Amino acid sequence: MILTGKEILKRLGSDIKIEPYDEKLLNPNSYNLRLHEDLLVYSEFPLDMKKPNPVQTLKIPEEGLLLEPGKLYLGRTIEFTETHNLVPMLEGRSSIGRLGMFVHITAGFGDVGFKGFWTLEIQVTHPLRVYAGVQICQIFYHTVEGEISEYKSGKYQANQGIQPSLLYKDFEKK
């Protein structure tokens, strides 16, 4: 089951934390999250799964930033979220998709207990100017059936910014 907007509001401060919270961003069954002004792009190719890959930070200026097709931009939400006893999920807003923008490639699924900013895997199908603060995606919550074990990964939990891939840490454990 997916929570309604009224249920999201009711669970704020207990199972759900969204900071900053703005009631105008609450929808009938989701909450809109906004794009932070910082983006990351990988700066050296080819990328290597077994190593940290260097990144460059871009700032979205007030006049917007033109994104190019064929390039991956890592962004993040302005909002920090924390979820307990529910599964948080992220989807792009339809208005964003209709402009040819994808906000996640595979990472739209969160785990019970996740807390942090959401890293967005942004791609565009044609050149598109983007602006910081735009309502770019929506978070929604599924109920869970069964015994809950909360997410405790040392890779992405309680992040403080945009997270490039930390897959190389999986190789270090072997």
Side-chain angles (χ1 to χ4, degrees):
M1 306 295 282
I2 294 176
L3 298 189
T4 65
K6 289 179 182 180
E7 187 65 18
I8 292 170
L9 184 60
K10 191 187 316 181
R11 292 187 187 213
L12 278 176
S14 60
D15 291 339
I16 298 172
K17 179 180 186 179
I18 301 171
E19 291 182 356
Y21 176 81
D22 181 344
E23 194 164 338
K24 292 184 293 235
L25 302 179
L26 186 63
N27 300 310
N29 58 339
S30 65
Y31 182 88
N32 287 351
L33 300 176
R34 298 166 296 155
L35 180 62
H36 190 270
E37 67 182 358
D38 291 337
L39 298 174
L40 293 182
V41 291
Y42 289 105
S43 56
E44 291 180 21
F45 296 92
L47 300 178
D48 189 329
M49 290 180 163
K50 287 188 173 186
K51 299 177 183 172
N53 292 284
V55 293
Q56 173 187 356
T57 301
L58 305 175
K59 281 239 187 268
I60 302 173
E62 193 172 313
E63 64 273 11
L65 180 68
L66 188 62
L67 302 186
E68 303 168 19
K71 195 169 189 177
L72 175 66
Y73 299 87
L74 297 177
R76 80 160 173 91
T77 58
I78 290 174
E79 292 80 8
F80 180 96
T81 70
E82 184 173 338
T83 308
H84 302 281
N85 304 310
L86 300 163
V87 174
M89 295 190 72
L90 204 68
E91 280 295 338
R93 293 182 59 224
S94 62
S95 296
I96 298 296
R98 291 171 191 182
L99 291 172
M101 178 187 233
F102 300 94
V103 299
H104 72 81
I105 297 169
T106 61
F109 183 85
D111 284 304
V112 175
F114 172 74
K115 60 181 172 183
F117 297 98
W118 288 78
T119 294
L120 307 173
E121 304 149 334
I122 299 169
Q123 285 192 314
V124 295
T125 59
H126 46 258
L128 178 66
R129 187 169 304 279
V130 298
Y131 300 88
V134 68
Q135 296 174 44
I136 194 166
C137 60
Q138 50 197 337
I139 190 170
F140 58 102
Y141 301 92
H142 284 273
T143 55
V144 180
E145 188 172 324
E147 187 177 337
I148 293 173
S149 296
E150 289 206 343
Y151 177 74
K152 293 184 172 112
S153 168
K155 289 195 301 192
Y156 302 113
Q157 184 72 309
N159 69 65
Q160 293 301 305
I162 303 169
Q163 298 288 287
S165 176
L166 301 177
L167 182 64
Y168 67 89
K169 291 185 175 197
D170 292 353
F171 291 96
E172 293 172 353
K173 293 176 184 176
K174 293 180 180 178

